[in-house]
Amino acid sequence: MVGVSGKSQACNTCKQRRVKCDMRRPSCLKCIKSKRPCTGYDKDIIFVNRTLTTSETTAPSVLSEHRAQQQPKDIRPNPRIEADLHYLFVESSHNIYLFRKYVVELLETTYLPKQRISNGLTPEASEGSFSWAYQLADLTGPSKSLDASLFAFCLAQLHVTGTGNASLYQCLDHYNTALQHLYADLDDSESRFREETLAAIIVLSTCELFVCPAENGWGVHARGIAEILRLRGPEMASTLAWRHLFSRMRIVCTLEALTKRQAQILENDIWRQIVTESDINGALDEVYQMIADIPIILDQAVTLSSISDQGTLLKESAAVAWSLLTMVKYVELWHDEFWKASPTPRAWSVPSRAVNPADADPLDRIFPFCFEFESLGVAIPVVMCWSVAAQLFSNVIQIHDLVQARLGCRVVLDDLLAQAYTTVGNTAGPLEESSQNAPLFTTDKSRSIQDVKSEGAKMARYVCQSLEYFHRVKMGTYGGHATTYASWSARQYFRLHPGCERELLWLQNIHKMEGPDTRWGLSMMTFPDIKNNLTR
C-alpha cells in the first residue's frame, strides 16, 4: 500500500484550483468566499500490486499513473489550444511542417493512446491502426486537402474531449470544406496519387467516426482508397509514411467489406502485392492478411437464400459453411500461436469497475469481470480475432438454419459439411489441432451446431468484456474508435440468435456506462445492423 496520494493538506477543491487553503473544517473559507462546494479532505488509498511479472512496479510510478488518470476529470475548454490551431492552419501554406507537427502533438493529448505498445516499442513504430498519425509531420508536400482534413479532425477531437469550444456543426462545416478540397485533388491526375492525398482520405475517414453517425462516407472513402490503389499499382515507390498509411487503408477497406458482407472492392492479389513491399509486420498486419479472403466467403453466404433448387442449395451451403469453419480454424491457430509466444499471460480477468444501466441488480451483473491485456498491441489483434470468429460462427449458424428451414427437417452439421468434402476435398491438412494450452479458443476438429453456438456466444461475450479496457481515458479517443467493428460483430451475434437478449441490451447501453478512469458516451459512428439473416 502506498498510503494517501499526495502530501498537500489542502481541501480537494483548493488543490484542483491550485490556490492556498486555510484548511478550515468542514468547509474552508476559500471555498465559502468563492461560492464553490468544498469537497473535503479525503484522500485516496492506493495499493501497489507488485507480482513476479511486474516486479519493477514502484510506489512513485503508481502515484504518477493515478494522477495522470485523474487529470481528464478536470479538463476544461482551453481557448488557447484552439486559437493556436487556427493560427497555424491559416499559416500552413507558409510553414507546413510547423502546422502538422502541432497537429501530431495535439492528437497525442486527445486521440492517441497514452501508453507504449509492447516490448518497449513506441506506438508509431509498431501499431498500424494508428501509427499513420505519427507520420503526418513527415509529409512535407503542400496539400490543401490534407491540412483542411487535419484541421477538421483536430476540431472534432477538441469537441469530443471537451477541450475546445467548437460545436459539432462547426466540425461538420470544416469536414465538408476538407471534403471539397479532397475531391479537387482526386480529380487531378497528379495529386490523386500523392501520399498527402491518401493521408487526407485516412484523416477524413477517421474524423467521420466522431462527427458522422451514419457510415455512408466511410463506404465512399473505402471505394476511393481501392480505386486509387488500383491505379497507383504496387510498382510505384513507397516510403515509410506510405507503408503506415497503407496499413490503415487496408483496415478501412476490410472493415467495410466485413460489415457489408461483400467481397472487397480491391482484389486480394493486389493487396498482397502491395503488402509484400511493407516492412510493417506487426500482429495486426498478420491478422488482416489472414482474414483477407473472409469477405468473399461472406458474399457467397449472402447469395445462398436466393437458390431455389434444394440439391444446389445443399451443395453450395455445405461448401460455404466448410470455408467459414476453415477460416475459423486459421484464426484459432494464429490466436493460439500468438498466445503461446509470450512467456507471460496475454490477458487475464479482473473485476469490472464500470456500471452498465442494463444491469438492474448490481449483484447480478452480466459481466462482473473484464479483461486486462498485456498491452494495447496485444488487445487490438486479439479482440479482432474474437470479433471475426463471432461473425464467422454466426454465419455458420445462419446457413445451418437456412438449410433446415428449406429441407423441413433436422440437419446435423457434420452431415451438412460432409456434402462439401466431395467438391472441395478435405484440405484441412495444414490445420492440425493446436495445443489446448491457449485458454480462449476451443479447437476441436469436429463441431456440432451446439458447439458452434456456444463458441460464437463465447467470442461475442469476450468482446464485451474487453470494452472497458479500450474505454480507459489513457487510451485516448482512439480506444472507442478501436471497438467500432468489435461492438458491431458482438451486437449482430446477439441480435440474430435467440437466447442473448440480455447481452444485446447490455451492448445497446454501453454509451450510458460509467466507471472510474474510463470515458464512455462518445458519439461514434456505428456500422448498420444486418437487415436480414440468411434465412429470410
Side-chain angles (χ1 to χ4, degrees):
M1 185 179 77
V2 175
V4 296
S5 60
K7 299 179 180 180
S8 172
Q9 301 300 311
C11 76
N12 295 324
T13 302
C14 288
K15 280 192 290 187
Q16 291 177 359
R17 296 178 58 207
R18 298 181 180 273
V19 298
K20 187 174 181 180
C21 179
D22 64 1
M23 292 177 284
R24 179 177 173 178
R25 297 171 186 265
S27 299
C28 71
L29 289 176
K30 282 280 188 182
C31 291
I32 294 174
K33 290 181 179 180
S34 62
K35 297 182 179 180
R36 289 180 170 86
C38 186
T39 54
Y41 300 84
D42 292 338
K43 297 184 178 180
D44 295 333
I45 303 297
I46 302 172
F47 292 85
V48 177
N49 183 23
R50 185 183 293 115
T51 66
L52 292 176
T53 59
T54 59
S55 58
E56 72 282 0
T57 302
T58 62
S61 67
V62 172
L63 285 172
S64 176
E65 181 179 1
H66 175 76
R67 294 189 186 107
Q69 292 174 349
Q70 298 302 312
Q71 288 175 0
K73 297 180 180 179
D74 305 322
I75 287 177
R76 297 290 184 274
N78 188 339
R80 179 62 183 272
I81 295 177
E82 201 166 315
D84 289 345
L85 175 67
H86 188 272
Y87 172 77
L88 291 172
F89 172 59
V90 172
E91 296 294 318
S92 61
S93 58
H94 304 293
N95 196 328
I96 295 172
Y97 174 76
L98 190 61
F99 169 66
R100 295 176 187 172
K101 181 174 181 294
Y102 184 81
V103 164
V104 175
E105 293 172 352
L106 191 152
L107 294 180
E108 286 180 320
T109 66
T110 54
Y111 171 69
L112 294 166
K114 313 299 187 298
Q115 67 167 26
R116 291 180 178 270
I117 297 300
S118 60
N119 302 322
L121 295 175
T122 56
E124 61 267 28
S126 61
E127 183 46 67
S129 60
F130 60 81
S131 61
W132 60 269
Y134 291 96
Q135 306 299 317
L136 295 171
D138 295 333
L139 299 175
T140 57
S143 173
K144 287 185 178 180
S145 62
L146 176 57
D147 292 336
S149 300
L150 292 173
F151 183 67
F153 184 40
C154 286
L155 282 184
Q157 294 306 304
L158 294 175
H159 169 72
V160 298
T161 58
T163 52
N165 292 310
S167 67
L168 176 60
Y169 297 105
Q170 289 173 310
C171 295
L172 285 170
D173 184 53
H174 286 287
Y175 165 84
N176 288 324
T177 300
L179 202 57
Q180 296 306 312
H181 286 302
L182 177 59
Y183 288 152
D185 281 349
L186 293 176
D187 286 337
D188 185 273
S189 59
E190 294 183 2
S191 297
R192 70 171 63 130
F193 298 121
R194 296 176 57 219
E195 292 177 354
E196 287 78 8
T197 304
L198 295 173
I201 297 177
I202 296 302
V203 173
L204 283 181
S205 64
T206 308
C207 183
E208 283 171 4
L209 293 169
F210 298 92
V211 299
C212 301
E215 54 76 54
N216 295 337
W218 179 280
V220 172
H221 287 306
R223 289 188 289 274
I225 289 170
E227 187 60 27
I228 289 174
L229 292 179
R230 181 182 288 108
L231 295 173
R232 188 181 193 272
E235 67 279 354
M236 294 186 68
S238 62
T239 64
L240 178 62
W242 151 252
R243 291 191 288 271
H244 283 276
L245 291 172
F246 167 81
S247 182
R248 179 60 190 163
M249 286 186 285
R250 182 172 55 178
I251 291 174
V252 171
C253 292
T254 303
L255 296 186
E256 169 72 7
L258 287 172
T259 56
K260 292 290 180 60
R261 297 188 295 178
Q262 297 175 349
Q264 295 200 54
I265 307 166
L266 190 65
E267 296 80 4
N268 285 334
D269 59 341
I270 297 181
W271 283 109
R272 292 187 175 108
Q273 288 176 36
I274 298 173
V275 80
T276 57
E277 299 180 3
S278 174
D279 60 1
I280 302 174
N281 294 312
L284 190 63
D285 290 284
E286 293 178 4
V287 170
Y288 273 88
Q289 288 187 56
M290 174 179 59
I291 67 175
D293 292 321
I294 290 178
I296 298 176
I297 306 173
L298 295 175
D299 199 348
Q300 295 169 350
V302 171
T303 65
L304 293 175
S305 60
S306 63
I307 300 175
S308 56
D309 180 72
Q310 285 191 357
T312 304
L313 173 65
L314 186 62
K315 177 181 176 181
E316 295 299 323
S317 297
V320 175
W322 184 88
S323 297
L324 290 169
L325 288 175
T326 298
M327 290 307 307
V328 168
K329 187 70 74 173
Y330 279 121
V331 172
E332 289 175 345
L333 288 175
W334 185 94
H335 175 278
D336 292 352
E337 291 302 317
F338 181 69
W339 201 273
K340 292 185 295 184
S342 174
T344 57
R346 292 291 198 183
W348 55 95
S349 296
V350 297
S352 171
R353 298 194 295 166
V355 178
N356 189 307
D359 290 322
D361 183 358
L363 299 179
D364 185 30
R365 300 169 62 188
I366 190 169
F367 297 118
F369 293 92
C370 63
F371 281 114
E372 180 72 24
F373 291 90
E374 183 182 38
S375 69
L376 185 61
V378 168
I380 295 171
V382 166
V383 174
M384 186 64 189
C385 284
W386 297 344
S387 307
V388 169
Q391 186 175 6
L392 292 172
F393 283 129
S394 175
N395 278 268
V396 172
I397 297 170
Q398 293 176 59
I399 291 173
H400 179 265
D401 291 346
L402 172 65
V403 173
Q404 283 199 144
R406 291 289 186 87
L407 297 184
C409 62
R410 180 176 175 271
V411 175
V412 177
L413 181 59
D414 276 346
D415 293 342
L416 173 64
L417 296 176
Q419 301 294 318
Y421 298 152
T422 58
T423 55
V424 298
N426 188 354
T427 59
L431 301 177
E432 298 173 358
E433 277 194 67
S434 64
S435 169
Q436 299 299 314
N437 293 334
L440 297 179
F441 264 118
T442 298
T443 56
D444 298 328
K445 186 175 181 180
S446 177
R447 287 187 173 95
S448 68
I449 191 61
Q450 287 305 124
D451 292 333
V452 170
K453 291 178 179 179
S454 176
E455 282 292 297
K458 184 171 71 172
M459 294 297 101
R461 291 189 179 102
Y462 282 166
V463 168
C464 294
Q465 291 177 276
S466 71
L467 296 182
E468 187 170 335
Y469 177 84
F470 283 100
H471 281 83
R472 289 179 182 169
V473 172
K474 67 180 181 181
M475 299 303 174
T477 60
Y478 168 81
H481 160 196
T483 64
T484 306
Y485 168 71
S487 298
W488 176 89
S489 177
R491 189 172 71 250
Q492 301 318 298
Y493 190 92
F494 296 143
R495 278 184 62 249
L496 297 173
H497 307 297
C500 303
E501 292 77 12
R502 191 177 174 193
E503 289 88 342
L504 177 60
L505 182 62
W506 188 93
L507 264 178
Q508 291 171 336
N509 280 275
I510 59 173
H511 65 288
K512 299 179 182 178
M513 290 180 68
E514 296 180 351
D517 307 326
T518 54
R519 179 191 285 118
W520 305 86
L522 291 181
S523 180
M524 300 284 293
M525 182 206 82
T526 57
F527 292 112
D529 290 335
I530 296 173
K531 294 182 180 180
N532 295 309
N533 62 31
L534 300 182
T535 60
R536 299 179 183 175

